[in-house]
Amino acid sequence: MAPSAARPPAKNSAKITVLGLAMLNIVAVVSLSGLPAEAEYGLSAAFYYIFAAIFFLVPVSLVAAELATAWPEKGGVFRWAGEAFGGRWGFVAIFLLIAQVTIWFPVVLTFGAISLAYTGPQATLDQKLSGNRLYILLTVLAVYWIATAIGSRGMAAFTRIAKWGGIVGTILPAAVLVTLGFAYLSTGGQSQIPLRWGDVVPDFSRVSNLVLAASIFLFYAGMEMNAIHVRDVRSPSRHYPLAVGIAAVGTMSILVLGTLAIAFVVPQSDIDLTQSLLITFIDVFQWLGLSWAAPVVAVALTIGVLAGIVTWVVGPSTAMLAVAKAGYLPPFFQATNKSGMPTHILLVQAVAVSVLAVLFVFMPSVQAAFQVLSQLAGLLYLVVYLAMFASAISLRYSQPDRRRPYRVPGGLVGMWVIGGVGFVASALALASSLVPPSQIGVGNPFLYIGLLVGLAGLIVTVPLVVYTRRKPHWHDPASDVAPFAWEARGARSGAADTRGRRTNDADE
C-alpha cells in the first residue's frame, strides 16, 4: 500500500520510459506479507486476483492519473475530494488515509518481526519465537520507533534506506518464492492443493469465503501514488495506459504465482496468516538441501519491511503537515525540525502505533489481531477509494473545462463506466470485509463486526469534529497549499476556506 500524493509538474524535460513507470508501480504495490491469506483458496485465488485487477487496479490507475494531472497541487486525495465536495470532505479523506496507514503499521511490522525470528539457527525455536506475542510487540515497537527516528532526519536519510528496499525485500524474494515453488512441483513434489481446472472458479455459495478474498483488492492499493508521473511519460494518452497494463500484468503475475507457490508447499490446514510465507521458504530450501538460505531470505524480507515503513512514515505525515498548515489542524501539529520534518505529527503517529501494537497482547491470537487490524485498515482505505472515484465523476460536471493532460478514455461515458466500476467494486469489497472470516477465530462474530464498525465510525468522527472546531489562527501565513478552484472564484455555496473566512454559512 502507498500514499495518495501530488506534486507540481516537473520543470525539466526528463521523461520516464513505459517500462520504468511500470516498474515504479510494481515496486509500490507488491507486498508478499498477505500472500498466505489468499493461499487458503488454492487455484481459485487466481480468479480473485484477475477479477480485482480488472475491476479495481485498472480503474484506480486510470482515474488517479486524470486527477493527479488535472490537480497537481499539494494534497492528493485531500485536493481531489475537496475540489469535488468541499474542504470538510477533503480533510476527512486525507485523515482516513493517514489513519489507515497508522493501523497498517503494526500489521506489516508483525510480518517483519516474524521474518526476523526466522533468521535464527534452529527452525523449531524460530517458529516458537515467531508466535510469541511479547517478542512481536517489542520488535514492532523497536522497529517502528527506529524508522520514525530515521524519517525525522529528512529526505536524504530515509531515501538512502528506502532506495533498494523494494527490490531487495520484495522483488528478489518474490522471484525466489515463485521459482522454488514451481520447481518443487515440477520435480515431483506433492502439491498440497488439487490441480483441477474446475477448482479455478471459486465456490460462491459460501459468503464467508469472500472475506479474505476481498482483501485482494487492497493487495493492489497504492497504484495511485505513481499517477503523479503521468506527465513524465511521452504521449501520456497512449503510453500511460500501456505502462499501467504492464504493471497490472506484472503485479498480478507475482501475486498469483507467489500465492500458488505457498499453496503447493504448505497444507491448507497449516496455513498461518503470519508464518506461512517463511515456512514455505524453509520447507523448499530443506527439500533442496539449502537450509542455510532460509535465514538469508528472512533478512531480505525484514529489510523490505523496514524500507517500506520508513517511506510510509514520512509520506502521509508530510502530506498531513501541508493540510495542517492550510488551517485544518492546530499549530501544535505544524511543528517541524531543521530538516523540515513534521515532528509532532510523527510523534502522535508513533504513540498511536504503539497503542495499537499493545492491543496484540489482548487479542485471542496474533492471527486474530492481524486479521482485525488488516480489515480495519482496508475498510478505511476503501472509503478513501470511494471518495476518489466519486470525486473524479463529480469533477467532470463541476469543472468540465479544467485542463486534463490525461483523461480517462471514452469521454464522460468512459468516466462513468471506469469510475463507476471502481466505485462499485470498492463498495462490495468494503461490505464483504465486515463478514467474519470462517478461516480465522476472531471470537464472537457480532463483537468482531461491532469492533470494526465502531472503530471506523470513531475514526471518521474525529476529522468532522476537528473541522467544525477549526480556528482562523490555525492557518499558517507561509502555507504553500493553493486554494481550491471554487475557493479562488468564490463560486461554491457553503464553502468555508482554510483561512477561517467564510463565503457562505450554509455549509455549516
Side-chain angles (χ1 to χ4, degrees):
M1 296 180 289
S4 298
R7 61 165 173 75
K11 295 181 180 180
N12 54 51
S13 59
K15 297 292 180 181
I16 299 176
T17 65
V18 171
L19 290 177
L21 181 57
M23 181 56 67
L24 283 176
N25 283 323
I26 291 173
V27 172
V29 172
V30 173
S31 173
L32 304 181
S33 61
L35 299 187
E38 308 310 327
E40 292 267 359
Y41 299 96
L43 289 180
S44 64
F47 173 90
Y48 289 112
Y49 281 119
I50 295 171
F51 178 86
I54 295 172
F55 293 100
F56 182 76
L57 175 61
V58 172
V60 165
S61 303
L62 299 182
V63 169
E66 175 170 320
L67 291 171
T69 53
W71 290 272
E73 301 90 348
K74 287 185 176 180
V77 70
F78 164 77
R79 170 67 52 182
W80 307 337
E83 289 284 0
F85 305 116
R88 182 197 309 272
W89 300 110
F91 181 54
V92 170
I94 190 66
F95 188 91
L96 293 185
L97 179 64
I98 198 169
Q100 75 84 20
V101 171
T102 301
I103 294 168
W104 173 77
F105 280 135
V107 175
V108 71
L109 281 170
T110 297
F111 172 72
I114 290 169
S115 299
L116 191 61
Y118 279 93
T119 59
Q122 297 185 33
T124 302
L125 293 178
D126 293 346
Q127 188 168 359
K128 185 176 181 180
L129 179 62
S130 69
N132 186 293
R133 281 181 274 181
L134 180 59
Y135 159 77
I136 290 176
L137 173 62
L138 295 177
T139 304
V140 166
L141 293 177
V143 174
Y144 185 81
W145 281 92
I146 290 172
T148 300
I150 294 171
S152 67
R153 298 185 63 184
M155 297 291 179
F158 85 82
T159 51
R160 281 195 298 268
I161 293 176
K163 183 177 181 179
W164 295 102
I167 296 175
V168 173
T170 301
I171 302 299
L172 291 180
V176 172
L177 174 65
V178 172
T179 300
L180 293 180
F182 281 83
Y184 166 84
L185 186 65
S186 62
T187 55
Q190 178 64 43
S191 173
Q192 302 300 323
I193 59 171
L195 301 177
R196 300 183 299 264
W197 282 111
D199 293 315
V200 174
V201 179
D203 178 8
F204 292 108
S205 65
R206 299 182 61 188
V207 177
S208 60
N209 278 346
L210 297 178
V211 179
L212 291 181
S215 65
I216 287 183
F217 282 81
L218 276 302
F219 277 47
Y220 293 124
M223 189 71 83
E224 77 280 359
M225 180 181 72
N226 286 316
I228 59 175
H229 295 303
V230 68
R231 287 186 172 185
D232 298 324
V233 180
R234 297 186 187 278
S235 301
S237 60
R238 267 200 348 256
H239 290 162
Y240 182 78
L242 178 59
V244 168
I246 295 172
V249 172
T251 299
M252 187 172 60
S253 298
I254 292 173
L255 296 178
V256 169
L257 297 178
T259 298
L260 293 181
I262 295 173
F264 292 154
V265 177
V266 182
Q268 285 182 298
S269 59
D270 295 337
I271 287 179
D272 183 292
L273 297 191
T274 56
Q275 297 181 8
S276 292
L277 180 62
L278 277 302
I279 291 173
T280 302
F281 280 114
I282 291 170
D283 289 350
V284 177
F285 280 131
Q286 286 179 345
W287 172 70
L288 290 172
L290 301 173
S291 298
W292 57 268
V296 175
V297 173
V299 170
L301 291 170
T302 305
I303 291 173
V305 169
L306 177 61
I309 289 296
V310 172
T311 302
W312 275 89
V313 162
V314 175
S317 299
T318 303
M320 183 59 82
L321 174 65
V323 174
K325 286 180 174 292
Y328 288 81
L329 286 175
F332 172 83
F333 294 96
Q334 302 173 21
T336 58
N337 59 18
K338 61 182 181 181
S339 300
M341 293 293 103
T343 49
H344 288 180
I345 291 178
L346 289 173
L347 178 62
V348 170
Q349 188 176 42
V351 171
V353 170
S354 301
V355 171
L356 287 172
V358 172
L359 292 178
F360 276 113
V361 177
F362 300 101
M363 295 297 289
S365 69
V366 173
Q367 276 207 88
F370 190 95
Q371 176 67 14
V372 169
L373 292 182
S374 295
Q375 293 300 97
L376 180 59
L379 190 154
L380 296 177
Y381 209 169
L382 287 167
V383 172
V384 173
Y385 279 120
L386 290 174
M388 186 187 80
F389 288 121
S391 298
I393 296 172
S394 174
L395 288 168
R396 281 290 187 98
Y397 289 91
S398 62
Q399 298 187 35
D401 298 326
R402 179 84 177 194
R403 182 175 178 270
R404 291 167 168 84
Y406 174 83
R407 283 178 174 265
V408 170
L412 189 59
V413 173
M415 173 57 79
W416 267 106
V417 171
I418 295 174
V421 164
F423 186 93
V424 172
S426 299
L428 291 176
L430 189 153
S432 63
S433 69
L434 295 175
V435 180
S438 60
Q439 296 90 342
I440 305 167
V442 290
N444 188 305
F446 296 103
L447 178 61
Y448 172 81
I449 297 174
L451 182 63
L452 286 179
V453 173
L455 288 174
L458 178 63
I459 292 170
V460 171
T461 301
V462 172
L464 290 174
V465 172
V466 173
Y467 180 88
T468 301
R469 296 179 178 276
R470 70 198 188 286
K471 307 296 182 183
H473 71 270
W474 288 5
H475 179 261
D476 183 351
S479 171
D480 59 352
V481 176
F484 295 115
W486 51 262
E487 266 186 320
R489 63 176 181 262
R492 184 179 179 84
S493 177
D497 75 10
T498 59
R499 296 163 184 77
R501 301 190 307 269
R502 301 214 177 131
T503 59
N504 191 302
D505 286 335
D507 186 56
E508 301 301 324

